[in-house]
């Protein structure tokens, strides 16, 4: 038994929608204030996903009042109440650090939005091109 | 105090119910056996000798094979003596598992730290060094090592460059976060000396009776019951 297998034992089960870099998601995060607990949403573009087993992390970037805000969440944190997929986005990079230099519409234009009804056709096309290549 | 021989598996993180994550070290404990029991009458003190990880008999000389024969065991690679107050609970050849420890206990872990070779004073003794720029041409060297004619020599034990690491190190009063009995794994809060697969000795803490250790234990007592773990 190695440490990766052991990690699986301590990995909480999470049922989030599958999201990728470039998608816009809303993370509902639990916040404790004294004894009270409330849920705060954070909506933005996923700019990075780091897959390290139990240490899986993702970073969400949003712009509010012209200021960019980034927040990194541990994927398996019990403090994440839920994640909602808002928009599918198509990007050509695994890490979207270049968005930090861009603002507003110029940044938005770098990500091609895929509407939910186009999603299936898009996936199909992707798989076809993949099989053609191989 | 009663202890076991184990192998450091590596470090990971464990989430608690309230969302905090704590760093733990996983230690794998193969079955341990009581090889010898020392008594006050014969040896002047009470202790048990514990062994682990079987090896071929041909690896040992005859006197050692005879030593294992006394307790009807196959030769074991690692041996370690642990002092105990009461030896009546132990019999020769008895198997000891991770259930010696319970979640919430305080343990000491003894291991051999990673060897760092010949290192300078900054790494070995945390010396500050000298500025890197602004015309300095003297950066990481020791500096002055003493005075002039009085005393006219360098003091003994002056901290200088030399071999660093590869020492036996005991980390005291670490919390046992979880014990997986069927897998033979102990999770300990914090770090443990040595590299992965290094041999470590886990022992019931020698300083657990101290007030400071007891305060620590009660402060951390919420951890073992709040771990997020799938049912085994």
């Amino acid at each position: 038994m190695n440490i990766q297998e052991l990690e699986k034992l301590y990995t909480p089960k999470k049922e989030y929608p599958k999201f990728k870099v470039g998608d816009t998601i809303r993370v509902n995060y639990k916040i404790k204030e004294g004894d009270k607990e409330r849920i705060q949403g954070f909506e933005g573009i996923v700019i990075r996903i780091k897959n390290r087993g139990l240490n899986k992390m993702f970073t969400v970037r949003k712009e509010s009042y012209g200021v960019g805000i980034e927040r990194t969440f541990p994927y398996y944190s019990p403090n994440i109440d839920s994640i909602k997929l808002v928009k599918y986005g198509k990007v050509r990079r695994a890490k979207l650090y270049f968005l930090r230099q861009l603002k507003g519409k110029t940044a938005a234009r770098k990500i091609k939005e895929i509407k939910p009804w186009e999603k299936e056709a898009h996936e199909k096309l992707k798989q076809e091109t993949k099989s053609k290549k191989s | 105090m009663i202890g076991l021989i184990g192998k450091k598996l590596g470090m990971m993180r464990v989430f608690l119910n309230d969302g905090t994550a704590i760093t733990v070290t996983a230690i794998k404990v193969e079955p341990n056996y009581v090889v010898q029991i020392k008594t006050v009458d014969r040896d002047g003190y009470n202790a048990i000798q514990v062994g682990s990880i079987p090896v071929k008999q041909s690896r040992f000389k005859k006197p050692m094979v005879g030593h294992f024969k006394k307790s009807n065991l196959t030769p074991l690679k690692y041996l370690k003596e642990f002092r105990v107050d009461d030896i009546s609970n132990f019999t020769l050849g008895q198997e000891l598992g991770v259930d010696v420890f319970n979640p919430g206990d305080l343990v000491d872990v003894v291991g051999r730290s990673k060897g760092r070779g010949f290192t300078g004073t900054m790494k070995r003794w945390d010396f500050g060094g000298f500025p890197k720029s602004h015309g300095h041409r003297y950066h990481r060297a020791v500096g002055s090592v003493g005075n002039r004619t009085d005393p006219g020599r360098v003091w003994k034990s002056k901290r200088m460059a030399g071999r660093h690491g590869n020492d036996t190190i005991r980390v005291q009063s670490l919390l046992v976060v979880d014990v997986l009995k069927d897998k033979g794994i102990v999770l300990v809060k914090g770090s443990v000396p040595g590299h992965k697969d290094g041999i470590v000795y886990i022992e019931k803490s020698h300083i657990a009776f101290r007030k400071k250790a007891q305060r620590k234990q009660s402060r951390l007592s919420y951890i073992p019951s709040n771990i997020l773990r799938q049912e085994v």
Side-chain angles (χ1 to χ4, degrees):
Chain A
M1 179 160 220
N2 57 24
I3 201 90
Q4 281 80 13
E5 287 165 33
L6 189 65
E7 259 189 354
K8 278 177 198 158
L9 263 181
Y10 293 90
T11 309
K13 275 195 182 129
K14 293 283 182 185
E15 281 162 10
Y16 301 143
K18 267 190 186 171
F19 60 88
K20 279 189 278 192
V21 172
D23 293 347
T24 305
I25 60 169
R26 188 182 177 83
V27 183
N28 293 320
Y29 201 71
K30 286 181 207 160
I31 286 178
K32 249 187 194 164
E33 283 169 339
D35 311 333
K36 274 186 196 166
E37 211 182 61
R38 66 184 180 85
I39 286 168
Q40 193 185 53
F42 190 90
E43 191 175 318
I45 299 160
V46 183
I47 65 161
R48 140 175 82 186
I49 297 174
K50 180 181 146 194
N51 275 312
R52 294 282 185 285
L54 182 54
N55 286 336
K56 187 174 177 178
M57 309 274 251
F58 60 94
T59 303
V60 182
R61 181 183 168 85
K62 78 166 176 184
E63 219 171 84
S64 85
Y65 301 105
V67 181
I69 297 173
E70 276 175 29
R71 213 169 150 185
T72 305
F73 299 95
Y75 188 88
Y76 292 105
S77 168
N79 280 347
I80 296 180
D81 183 61
S82 61
I83 293 176
K84 228 181 118 185
L85 238 166
V86 183
K87 267 187 217 168
Y88 296 107
K90 191 191 163 192
V91 281
R92 308 183 73 166
R93 242 141 279 258
K95 305 275 186 316
L96 306 182
Y97 298 142
F98 65 91
L99 287 182
R100 289 169 180 167
Q101 269 85 47
L102 306 173
K103 259 187 175 177
K105 271 196 176 170
T106 30
R109 259 185 227 125
K110 291 284 177 188
I111 296 167
K112 195 188 170 196
E113 194 192 331
I114 297 165
K115 296 277 189 278
W117 56 87
E118 295 168 353
K119 173 85 176 155
E120 228 170 79
H122 180 73
E123 294 275 284
K124 218 177 176 182
L125 197 82
K126 209 176 165 187
Q127 267 188 357
E128 270 172 26
T129 46
K130 227 182 201 176
S131 57
K132 252 184 210 172
K133 262 181 202 172
S134 60
Chain B
M1 302 274 175
I2 176 76
L4 297 172
I5 301 167
K7 247 183 194 176
K8 179 171 164 179
L9 257 191
M11 294 186 74
M12 59 183 236
R13 137 207 268 190
V14 163
F15 281 109
L16 304 185
N17 283 331
D18 60 352
T20 48
I22 53 166
T23 325
V24 294
T25 310
I27 298 168
K28 167 96 182 149
V29 178
E30 306 282 349
N32 281 225
Y33 301 95
V34 179
V35 182
Q36 191 186 11
I37 297 172
K38 297 201 168 180
T39 58
V40 177
D41 309 332
R42 240 183 71 119
D43 308 281
Y45 60 97
N46 281 337
I48 54 163
Q49 193 186 58
V50 168
S52 182
I53 304 178
V55 275
K56 269 191 279 180
Q57 192 169 315
S58 55
R59 294 261 183 265
F60 285 104
K61 296 240 160 77
K62 262 187 185 169
M64 275 312 278
V65 176
H67 178 62
F68 289 112
K69 223 167 212 176
K70 272 184 199 163
S71 43
N72 263 331
L73 288 168
T74 51
L76 302 164
K77 197 170 177 188
Y78 301 103
L79 292 174
K80 172 80 181 165
E81 195 174 291
F82 295 104
R83 288 230 182 175
V84 285
D85 300 328
D86 188 17
I87 48 161
S88 57
N89 297 330
F90 302 102
T91 50
L92 277 181
Q94 185 190 340
E95 193 180 317
L96 297 173
V98 276
D99 46 340
V100 171
F101 305 111
N102 297 314
D105 285 356
L106 290 183
V107 290
D108 294 351
V109 180
V110 185
R112 207 146 176 90
S113 63
K114 279 182 187 171
R116 266 141 239 260
F118 195 98
T119 57
T121 47
M122 282 178 73
K123 191 178 189 136
R124 194 177 179 206
W125 300 110
D126 260 355
F127 281 15
F130 297 86
K132 284 182 175 168
S133 60
H134 293 297
H136 280 260
R137 285 193 279 175
Y138 198 78
H139 304 298
R140 296 182 63 97
V142 246
S144 166
V145 291
N147 306 352
R148 208 173 172 188
T149 17
D150 187 13
R153 60 187 174 87
V154 177
W155 294 116
K156 269 191 177 176
S157 76
K158 167 79 191 124
R159 291 177 295 171
M160 287 184 178
R163 287 260 180 114
H164 182 36
N166 196 15
D167 300 315
T168 307
I169 288 187
R170 172 186 289 266
V171 193
Q172 288 182 309
S173 77
L174 296 174
L175 184 85
V176 176
V177 175
D178 206 357
V179 174
L180 300 176
K181 202 184 160 192
D182 49 338
K183 292 195 167 66
I185 281 169
V186 187
L187 294 191
V188 161
K189 186 172 181 287
S191 54
V192 153
H195 54 79
K196 277 179 202 169
D197 282 341
I199 291 295
V200 289
Y201 306 121
I202 330 169
E203 213 176 334
K204 285 220 165 133
S205 183
H206 281 224
I207 59 163
F209 65 90
R210 290 189 195 164
K211 262 187 187 166
K212 202 178 166 188
Q214 283 171 356
R215 256 184 272 137
K216 180 184 178 181
Q217 194 174 7
S218 65
R219 189 173 71 237
L220 300 176
S221 59
Y222 75 100
I223 289 177
S225 53
N226 279 314
I227 309 174
L228 284 179
R229 189 181 83 185
Q230 287 174 24
E231 286 309 309
V232 186

